[in-house]
Amino acid sequence: MKAGRKIQSAVFVIAALGTLAALPPRLLAQTWSVQVDKVDPGDVNIEPAFRVAIYENLLVELAKTKQFKQVYRGGDHNAGGPEVLILKTTVQKYTPGSETRRAVTTVSGATKLNVRSQLTTREGQVVLERVVDGNVRFFGGNLRATHNLARNVAGTIKKSELPARTL
Amino acid sequence: MMEKIARFERSRRALDYLLLLALCATCLMAQNPSGAVSASGSAIHVTHVLGFENIANNANGQLSIQEHTLRFQKSDGSNAHVGVDTIQDLSLGVEDKQVGGTAMAVGRAATPYGGGRLISLFSHKKYDTLTVEYRDPNGGFHGAVFQLDKGQGQVLKDALVAEGAHVTNLENQPTKPNAPEAKNEGR
């Protein structure tokens, strides 16, 4: 009777360990939280509305991916733990477009954004670094480029495998 | 044969009138409804583009300054507010947008002989954008963007500055985003 119970619990432990090992990277990444820093305009003369829209859209799109335990805003005092990665976004290129030019000509007037995204640990170690684009070529207002960019950044992070956190 | 040609001529003329009517309508829509700008303190009709929590993007409502608070109120009563003292920066911009929304866009696309492009040429309007950067009680950085009728952005900004809002560059003038595809590249 006792031996049977021991075997049962051993089987249970092995099954649990197997399940953990088979966890998809998406769930493993959930051991991390992320803090989104203010967008750094770099040397580029980008409008404040675009800068703010990239930041706010990043917060929304990163939360949608369910990759992270929590998505913190830049400067949030609650984001202090070692499990927090910092997302730094630096604008590299910005081409202001025109909705009217797009509507009239179709081929010109695109709004284009190009940023460097870096995920770093608190100690400054770079975990992930990508260059991402966000454009609006046909329909929609110019700020739609920021939404497309944030979606692309979130998508890139989702596809990438983040390192397992050392506990 | 003659009858066919006459019918074709009639339908073409009708189409021309339709196009002219659409053009006139869009020109009227693109007019600024009033040059008058509300005095500070009273509410200004704005579109909340993004940023305020619990308020949908592109929601219309009234923006007002009451008791050191910047308050956005939708017509259904829901509202969001930030303390003026939490504002870190205010920036103005100018945005050129097509008027009429989705319905108009569908109408333009459906207009034959490239008439939609012609309509687009006259159916745009300039707006001011006001970007408000502020911090929440936890220190978290927030940004909100509002779209206002042209000329109202400066009035609202001045009113906020008078109430004590912090602005990093008081001299900043509305930036012109639609300069002919000026490409900005960082080195």
Side-chain angles (χ1 to χ4, degrees):
Chain A
M1 191 73 174
K2 265 187 183 176
R5 272 199 185 160
K6 270 186 183 172
I7 291 167
Q8 255 186 356
S9 45
V11 167
F12 177 76
V13 169
I14 291 166
L17 285 174
T19 314
L20 268 176
L23 272 179
R26 190 170 71 84
L27 290 179
L28 275 178
Q30 274 197 339
T31 53
W32 293 103
S33 290
V34 69
Q35 182 171 34
V36 182
D37 259 7
K38 279 169 77 170
V39 173
D40 178 6
D43 298 332
V44 178
N45 183 20
I46 186 169
E47 283 173 78
F50 275 75
R51 199 166 35 79
V52 162
I54 293 171
Y55 171 80
E56 289 290 338
N57 281 317
L58 274 174
L59 287 160
V60 173
E61 294 298 325
L62 285 172
K64 272 190 205 169
T65 63
K66 296 188 168 72
Q67 280 281 101
F68 299 100
K69 254 197 304 188
Q70 208 141 7
V71 181
Y72 293 106
R73 291 176 174 272
D76 194 330
H77 305 314
N78 300 322
E83 80 287 356
V84 178
L85 293 174
I86 298 162
L87 178 67
K88 291 178 179 171
T89 310
T90 311
V91 182
Q92 290 190 325
K93 284 180 209 164
Y94 164 60
T95 309
S98 158
E99 194 180 347
T100 302
R101 276 182 73 174
R102 283 196 295 277
V104 174
T105 67
T106 312
V107 289
S108 73
T111 303
K112 297 174 188 171
L113 278 165
N114 177 278
V115 300
R116 176 175 296 278
S117 286
Q118 275 187 329
L119 264 180
T120 65
T121 60
R122 284 241 168 259
E123 295 76 38
Q125 186 197 342
V126 178
V127 172
L128 182 81
E129 184 166 5
R130 295 280 189 279
V131 174
V132 186
D133 288 309
N135 306 324
V136 53
R137 289 181 188 281
F138 302 113
F139 300 109
N142 294 326
L143 280 175
R144 200 178 143 83
T146 63
H147 173 254
N148 294 344
L149 176 82
R151 206 180 47 200
N152 293 346
V153 171
T156 308
I157 292 171
K158 196 175 177 179
K159 276 184 212 157
S160 315
E161 279 192 28
L162 298 178
R165 192 165 72 86
T166 48
L167 297 168
Chain B
M1 184 69 182
M2 290 298 283
E3 197 179 311
K4 260 187 181 175
I5 293 170
R7 207 183 302 155
F8 177 71
E9 278 294 317
R10 267 202 303 274
S11 61
R12 222 190 85 183
R13 204 170 299 158
L15 203 65
D16 285 349
Y17 284 132
L18 198 70
L19 204 65
L20 192 69
L21 194 71
L23 202 67
C24 291
T26 51
C27 285
L28 280 173
M29 282 171 79
Q31 297 290 318
N32 201 343
S34 70
V37 169
S38 315
S40 63
S42 63
I44 296 175
H45 184 77
V46 301
T47 302
H48 166 256
V49 180
L50 56 85
F52 261 18
E53 276 176 3
N54 307 323
I55 300 286
N57 290 357
N58 298 315
N60 291 314
Q62 305 288 328
L63 197 64
S64 59
I65 306 164
Q66 296 165 358
E67 295 161 2
H68 298 286
T69 304
L70 178 66
R71 185 181 300 275
F72 177 81
Q73 182 144 24
K74 276 174 70 178
S75 51
D76 65 4
S78 58
N79 69 78
H81 59 272
V82 291
V84 173
D85 54 336
T86 65
I87 294 175
Q88 304 274 304
D89 202 5
L90 293 164
S91 329
L92 288 177
V94 181
E95 188 78 13
D96 188 61
K97 293 193 78 172
Q98 289 287 310
V99 295
T102 313
M104 191 72 176
V106 171
R108 281 195 301 262
T111 311
Y113 308 120
R117 290 170 195 271
L118 190 67
I119 295 169
S120 300
L121 202 56
F122 297 99
S123 63
H124 60 102
K125 187 180 168 186
K126 278 192 174 166
Y127 295 94
D128 279 356
T129 56
L130 179 71
T131 308
V132 183
E133 297 173 42
Y134 62 98
R135 291 205 181 264
D136 61 27
N138 291 328
F141 173 78
H142 291 250
V145 181
F146 296 97
Q147 179 185 291
L148 308 88
D149 280 337
K150 194 150 168 47
Q152 291 192 325
Q154 190 64 53
V155 173
L156 191 60
K157 186 181 172 183
D158 291 346
L160 283 166
V161 170
E163 285 279 327
H166 184 256
V167 181
T168 49
N169 185 8
L170 259 177
E171 295 299 310
N172 82 358
Q173 291 296 308
T175 48
K176 205 175 178 182
N178 297 322
E181 294 208 24
K183 198 171 180 179
N184 296 301
E185 252 179 70
R187 279 167 209 160

